[in-house]
């Protein structure tokens, strides 16, 4: 079975080979007939020219006249013979095997055809003059020569017409041209030999009226290469994303970072390589002044317009602080690529790209300045809002401090200075760096006024003081040693530190410092000078203390302090205020009532000193993630006991 299939396949192969051989034989026969016909005509022309020379001598024509016709006529014979050789080479040779040799042959054929045409014109003009002789035989031979030369005179036109030898050869060169361009990979520098061959091909196509075709092939091939090079990138977002003035850029923040990296890659690497290749390819072409048209069209294929469109989309988003940072990022990216843009997209051919880029930069600069000069106003507009009910640092305070520090970083700050200077120049206004520093201070000042206004909205005085203490600590702690702290100055930092201690004192006085007074010894002794203790008064005072403690603890158990250090400090101060008098009271009087209290639950002592200490050390914890990882409330509870408290509180700074 296998042998039969193999025989069938072999038979089909032989049939195909026979058919190809038959067609080749027909083609060879046709070419042989053409060559034989040309040879016969040339032989006749040679004989006729010799006879013509004899006749000219017989009729006593001048030697000068003879030479004028014989020379060009002989050239016609020789040139046509050369052309036939070129025709054979161009028809049989494979252009891809040796591009240089093939293109050289094309060039030589063009030159030979030009010489043939010129010489035929000369011969025809002189033969026309000689046809006036009386000899009828002579006239017939001259007319025969004229017929042959005129036929040869149309050789160039036939070769250049559709289906002609030269046109077929140029078509083959054009195909090889596309193949060579396709073989030059993106980001790579083509070998000098490859570039030279492409230049020769471009030159030949150009002088043969194929300028537009040459350019379109270049754009098609290199544009396809560029698109393939970008296939690994997800560029759909450039066209798909849209924003209005009410949409936040937060929703597309990650795309902006992606845009930055991809734009740099496309311009500095992909288009830079394509630009250098385009300049090299068309450097020697007769139409080299149009090479930037090709590059501009290739650049469009890379999606450069889509990158610019995405930038314009971002500028349309809502005016907000985060947008300012993203616009600064975009300006930094565009500014970093400025020299590349100027070099790659110069000239009229890239005029549209230039215009769109300038328009984008203008929108980015205007957007940055509009948002920056309104930042303090935006902070002020938050003043009517309500403060956090837990006395914590408002998100706006946290955001503004971090935001200002970020804005003052060297990269952002230098970019902002550059942008504002450009904007002032556009408006013919003088630029002063101090204007920006003053505006940054205005933002922080507006934030301080917000904090004071928010504190007044707390009806509970202790919560108001707690809130102010918390926020002044935050401003002092989280700006010291930062760019913002340097800008605001040491006096500003010291002022917040003093305010924090002041409100700390008021907070303790308004809340925890009221508890010790409930454990005074007034009314505990039954008889003057006696040692008997009124147990009911002891229990009453403990109950009042416990109820007051529970009320404060319940109210403040949800309050939050922003910083681990501040939490430790305030807990220590509360422990110092509450625990020593409570421990002392229990030490003196608990035994007298414990002996009596044995059955009823509501008569037992609710808290031991250690329990009370453990509860206090768990106060003011923030919610997880609000200011970072919350501190475990057990960090102090295991160490709290009467002896520890007595020892530690002796070294704790006084609240005042």
């Amino acid at each position: 079975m296998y042998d039969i299939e193999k025989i069938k396949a072999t038979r089909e192969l032989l049939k195909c080979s026979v058919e190809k051989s038959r067609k080749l034989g027909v083609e060879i026969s046709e070419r042989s007939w053409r060559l034989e016909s040309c040879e016969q005509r040339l032989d006749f022309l040679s004989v006729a020219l010799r006879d013509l020379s004899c006749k000219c001598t017989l009729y006593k024509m001048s030697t000068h006249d003879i030479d004028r016709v014989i020379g060009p006529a002989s050239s016609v014979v020789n040139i046509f013979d050369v052309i036939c050789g070129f025709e054979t080479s161009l028809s049989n040779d494979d252009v891809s095997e040796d591009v240089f040799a093939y293109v050289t042959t094309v060039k030589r054929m063009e030159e030979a055809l030009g010489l043939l045409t010129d010489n035929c014109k000369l011969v025809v003009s002189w033969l026309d003059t000689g046809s006036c002789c009386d000899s009828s035989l002579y006239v017939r031979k001259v007319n025969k020569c004229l017929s042959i030369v005129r036929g040869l005179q149309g050789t160039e036109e036939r070769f250049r017409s559709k289906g002609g030898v030269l046109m077929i050869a140029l078509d083959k060169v054009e195909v090889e041209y596309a193949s060579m361009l396709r073989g030059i990979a993106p980001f790579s520098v083509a070998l000098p030999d490859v570039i030279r061959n492409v230049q020769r091909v471009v030159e030949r196509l150009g002088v043969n009226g194929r300028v537009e075709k040459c350019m379109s092939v270049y754009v098609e091939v290199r544009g396809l290469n560029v698109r393939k090079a970008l296939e690994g990138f997800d560029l759909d977002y450039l066209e798909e994303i849209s924003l209005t003035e009410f949409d936040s850029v937060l929703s597309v923040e990650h795309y902006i970072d992606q845009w930055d990296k991809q734009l740099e890659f496309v311009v500095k690497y992909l288009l830079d390589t394509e630009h250098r290749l385009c300049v090299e390819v068309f450097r020697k072409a007769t139409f080299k002044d149009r090479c930037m048209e090709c590059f501009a069209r290739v650049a469009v294929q890379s999606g450069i317009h889509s990158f610019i469109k995405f930038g314009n989309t971002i500028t349309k988003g809502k005016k907000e602080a985060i947008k300012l940072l993203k616009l600064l990022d975009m300006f930094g990216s565009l500014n970093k690529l400025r020299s590349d843009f100027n070099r790659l997209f110069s000239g009229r051919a890239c005029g549209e790209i230039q215009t769109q880029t300038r328009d984008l930069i203008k929108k980015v600069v205007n957007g940055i300045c509009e948002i920056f000069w309104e930042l303090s106003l935006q902070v002020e507009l938050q003043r009517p809002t309500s403060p956090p009910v837990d006395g914590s640092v408002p998100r706006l305070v946290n955001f503004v401090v971090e935001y200002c520090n970020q804005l003052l970083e060297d990269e952002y700050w230098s970019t902002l200075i550059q942008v504002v200077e450009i904007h002032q120049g556009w408006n013919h206004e003088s630029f002063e760096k101090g204007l920006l520093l003053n505006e940054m201070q205005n933002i922080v000042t507006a934030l301080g006024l917000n904090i004071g206004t928010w504190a007044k909205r707390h009806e509970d005085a202790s919560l108001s003081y707690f809130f102010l203490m918390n926020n002044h600590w935050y401003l002092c702690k989280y700006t010291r040693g930062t760019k913002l702290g340097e800008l605001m100055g040491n006096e500003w930092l010291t002022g917040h530190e003093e305010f924090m201690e002041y409100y700390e004192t008021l907070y303790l006085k308004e809340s925890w410092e009221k508890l010790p007074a409930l454990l005074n010894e007034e009314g505990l002794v039954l008889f003057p000078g006696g040692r008997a203790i009124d147990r009911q008064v002891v229990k009453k005072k403990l109950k009042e203390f416990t109820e007051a403690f529970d009320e404060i603890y319940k109210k403040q158990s949800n309050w939050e302090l922003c910083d681990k250090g501040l939490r430790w400090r305030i807990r220590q101060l509360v422990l110092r205020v509450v625990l020593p008098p409570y421990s002392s009271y229990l030490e003196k009087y608990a035994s007298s009532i414990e002996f009596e209290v044995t059955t009823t639950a509501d008569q037992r002592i609710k808290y031991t000193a250690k329990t009370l200490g453990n509860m206090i050390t768990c106060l003011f914890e923030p919610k997880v993630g609000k200011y970072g990882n919350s501190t475990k409330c057990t960090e102090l509870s295991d160490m709290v006991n009467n002896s520890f408290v007595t020892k530690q509180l002796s070294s704790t700074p006084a609240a005042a």
Side-chain angles (χ1 to χ4, degrees):
M1 184 67 180
Y2 172 78
D3 293 337
I4 294 174
E5 293 298 325
K6 190 172 181 180
I7 291 170
K8 288 182 178 179
T10 305
R11 185 183 65 182
E12 291 299 320
L13 182 61
L14 288 172
K15 287 174 65 177
C16 291
S17 298
V18 169
E19 181 62 24
K20 288 183 179 179
S21 299
R22 187 186 66 78
K23 290 181 179 179
L24 184 60
V26 172
E27 185 176 351
I28 291 173
S29 298
E30 291 178 352
R31 288 186 176 277
S32 298
W33 178 84
R34 288 178 61 193
L35 290 173
E36 288 174 0
S37 175
C38 291
E39 186 177 3
Q40 290 173 1
R41 285 185 293 170
L42 290 173
D43 288 342
F44 173 80
L45 184 61
S46 298
V47 173
L49 288 172
R50 286 196 299 270
D51 187 51
L52 180 62
S53 177
C54 294
K55 290 291 183 181
C56 288
T57 303
L58 179 64
Y59 288 100
K60 299 182 180 181
M61 294 177 66
S62 68
T63 306
H64 175 68
D65 292 335
I66 297 170
D67 291 340
R68 289 173 67 181
V69 68
I70 296 301
S74 300
S75 298
V76 167
V77 176
N78 295 330
I79 293 170
F80 191 79
D81 187 44
V82 170
I83 289 173
C84 290
F86 288 153
E87 179 182 6
T88 302
S89 297
L90 294 178
S91 300
N92 297 335
D93 292 351
D94 186 354
V95 62
S96 61
E97 290 182 359
D98 192 340
V99 178
F100 174 74
Y102 196 89
V103 173
T104 301
T105 303
V106 171
K107 181 180 180 182
R108 289 175 177 173
M109 173 174 268
E110 292 172 12
E111 294 170 348
L113 287 171
L115 286 172
L116 178 65
T117 301
D118 292 340
N119 279 276
C120 283
K121 288 179 181 178
L122 287 174
V123 173
V124 167
S125 65
W126 284 105
L127 287 176
D128 276 336
T129 303
S131 63
C132 62
C133 291
D134 296 333
S135 173
S136 59
L137 177 61
Y138 172 78
V139 171
R140 285 198 299 275
K141 288 188 177 181
V142 168
N143 289 338
K144 183 67 173 179
C145 288
L146 275 172
S147 175
I148 294 172
V149 173
R150 282 171 176 161
L152 294 177
Q153 190 176 357
T155 302
E156 182 174 11
E157 183 179 351
R158 290 194 301 273
F159 275 36
R160 290 186 178 277
S161 63
K162 185 177 180 181
V165 175
L166 186 58
M167 287 298 101
I168 293 174
L170 288 171
D171 289 341
K172 291 165 68 175
V173 169
E174 200 173 89
V175 171
E176 182 60 23
Y177 166 62
S179 178
M180 288 189 293
L181 290 176
R182 200 175 295 114
I184 303 174
F187 320 114
S188 63
V189 178
L191 295 174
D193 289 345
V194 175
I195 290 294
R196 280 195 292 270
N197 284 337
V198 175
Q199 288 173 341
R200 292 186 183 102
V201 168
V202 168
E203 183 183 8
R204 288 272 53 80
L205 294 176
V207 298
N208 281 282
R210 299 196 176 201
V211 173
E212 298 301 329
K213 183 65 174 178
C214 185
M215 293 175 64
S216 64
V217 169
Y218 185 91
V219 172
E220 179 183 355
V221 174
R222 296 313 301 174
L224 180 61
N225 274 24
V226 165
R227 291 195 298 275
K228 285 184 177 179
L230 296 174
E231 282 180 352
F233 293 87
D234 178 16
L235 299 178
D236 293 340
Y237 71 94
L238 296 175
E239 294 287 345
E240 293 175 354
I241 289 176
S242 62
L243 291 176
T244 68
E245 58 182 325
F246 305 106
D247 296 326
S248 172
V249 299
L250 280 172
S251 60
V252 295
E253 183 179 6
H254 66 289
Y255 285 123
I256 299 175
D257 298 332
Q258 190 173 327
W259 175 87
D260 176 13
K261 296 181 179 65
Q262 291 176 344
L263 178 62
E264 181 178 5
F265 173 81
V266 168
V267 173
K268 292 188 75 69
Y269 300 99
L270 186 59
L271 291 184
D272 181 75
T273 306
E274 290 299 324
H275 182 269
R276 283 188 280 119
L277 177 63
C278 191
V279 171
E280 281 297 310
V281 166
F282 296 104
R283 184 164 57 89
K284 296 182 178 180
T286 55
F287 55 101
K288 62 182 180 181
D289 56 321
R290 298 186 61 189
C291 77
M292 290 308 297
E293 291 182 32
C294 291
F295 172 73
R297 289 157 65 183
V298 172
V300 171
Q301 299 286 335
S302 74
I304 191 68
H305 287 310
S306 297
F307 279 99
I308 297 173
K309 178 184 176 182
F310 176 82
N312 286 321
T313 299
I314 299 302
T315 63
K316 297 176 184 176
K318 183 170 66 176
K319 294 180 183 179
E320 53 186 346
I322 188 64
K323 180 182 174 182
L324 171 59
L325 297 179
K326 290 305 169 185
L327 289 179
L328 285 171
D329 287 336
M330 290 175 62
F331 180 86
S333 300
L334 293 170
N335 191 50
K336 183 169 55 178
L337 297 173
R338 180 177 56 178
S339 60
D340 297 285
F341 267 84
N342 291 339
R343 176 173 53 85
L344 298 178
F345 305 119
S346 60
R348 289 182 299 174
C350 299
E352 186 178 359
I353 296 176
Q354 296 169 17
T355 301
Q356 291 184 0
T357 305
R358 284 195 296 266
D359 184 58
L360 173 59
I361 292 174
K362 185 175 181 180
K363 289 178 181 178
V364 170
V365 169
N366 288 336
I368 289 171
C369 292
E370 287 175 6
I371 297 174
F372 176 73
W373 295 116
E374 291 181 3
L375 283 177
S376 58
L377 175 61
Q378 292 301 320
V379 173
E380 183 180 340
L381 290 174
Q382 298 300 312
R383 203 165 293 166
T385 60
S386 300
V389 296
D390 56 8
S392 61
V393 176
R395 289 185 176 180
L396 181 66
V397 175
N398 178 268
F399 175 81
V400 169
V401 169
E402 292 185 359
Y403 182 83
C404 288
N405 272 320
Q406 190 173 5
L407 196 57
L408 286 166
E409 288 179 0
D410 292 341
E411 185 175 354
Y412 277 128
W413 189 245
S414 60
T415 303
L416 180 61
I417 291 174
Q418 185 179 2
V419 168
V420 174
E421 187 173 5
I422 291 171
H423 191 263
Q424 298 286 81
W426 288 349
N427 295 322
H428 307 289
E429 299 175 358
S430 60
F431 170 76
E432 295 180 12
K433 186 178 178 181
L435 292 173
L436 277 71
L437 297 174
N438 290 338
E439 185 60 23
M440 293 297 294
Q441 292 174 334
N442 291 339
I443 295 169
V444 179
T445 300
L447 184 66
L449 293 174
N450 283 13
I451 292 172
T453 303
W454 289 333
K456 295 175 183 178
R457 292 203 174 93
H458 286 298
E459 297 180 358
D460 187 315
S462 60
L463 178 57
S464 178
Y465 298 142
F466 181 90
F467 173 79
L468 288 167
M469 171 191 71
N470 203 5
N471 281 270
H472 283 293
W473 172 280
Y474 182 87
L475 289 176
C476 177
K477 173 73 178 291
Y478 290 96
T479 57
R480 189 181 297 278
T482 66
K483 296 282 187 180
L484 183 59
E486 293 176 12
L487 172 65
M488 300 308 295
N490 190 61
E491 184 178 347
W492 181 85
L493 290 168
T494 303
H496 280 292
E497 194 172 53
E498 292 174 351
F499 274 123
M500 179 268 162
E501 293 176 352
Y502 172 73
Y503 289 116
E504 175 187 79
T505 302
L506 293 178
Y507 158 70
L508 291 171
K509 183 178 180 180
E510 189 66 29
S511 54
W512 299 102
E513 288 184 359
K514 292 180 179 180
L515 292 177
L518 299 176
L519 296 177
N520 62 68
E521 296 186 351
E522 183 180 351
L524 291 179
V525 181
L526 287 174
F527 305 104
R531 301 182 64 182
I533 302 299
D534 190 334
R535 293 167 182 167
Q536 294 301 321
V537 175
V538 171
K539 289 191 288 184
K540 180 182 178 183
K541 288 182 179 293
L542 278 174
K543 183 179 180 182
E544 289 175 351
F545 177 90
T546 301
E547 288 176 350
F549 176 85
D550 284 345
E551 182 181 352
I552 295 174
Y553 187 84
K554 181 180 179 181
K555 181 171 63 176
Q556 298 192 18
S557 61
N558 290 321
W559 292 6
E560 297 182 7
L561 289 174
C562 64
D563 178 71
K564 178 180 178 180
L566 182 59
R567 289 195 294 274
W568 178 278
R569 176 188 175 101
I570 300 303
R571 287 167 180 168
Q572 290 291 306
L573 292 174
V574 173
L575 287 171
R576 179 177 181 178
V577 168
V578 175
L579 219 54
Y582 186 69
S583 299
S584 176
Y585 193 85
L586 289 182
E587 187 178 348
K588 287 182 180 181
Y589 305 114
S591 59
S592 63
I593 60 175
E594 283 177 351
F595 178 80
E596 180 182 327
V597 179
T598 56
T599 56
T600 310
D602 62 352
Q603 290 180 320
R604 297 191 188 107
I605 297 173
K606 187 173 183 179
Y607 301 121
T608 65
K610 183 176 181 180
T611 303
L612 210 65
N614 288 342
M615 293 173 67
I616 291 171
T617 57
C618 286
L619 283 172
F620 314 129
E621 285 289 337
K623 297 179 180 65
V624 176
K626 188 169 184 180
Y627 303 108
N629 295 327
S630 67
T631 307
K632 301 294 184 183
C633 66
T634 56
E635 64 183 357
L636 290 176
S637 62
D638 293 339
M639 298 188 291
V640 174
N641 54 52
N642 290 343
S643 60
F644 168 77
V645 171
T646 303
K647 185 186 300 182
Q648 286 292 329
L649 292 183
S650 63
S651 61
T652 304

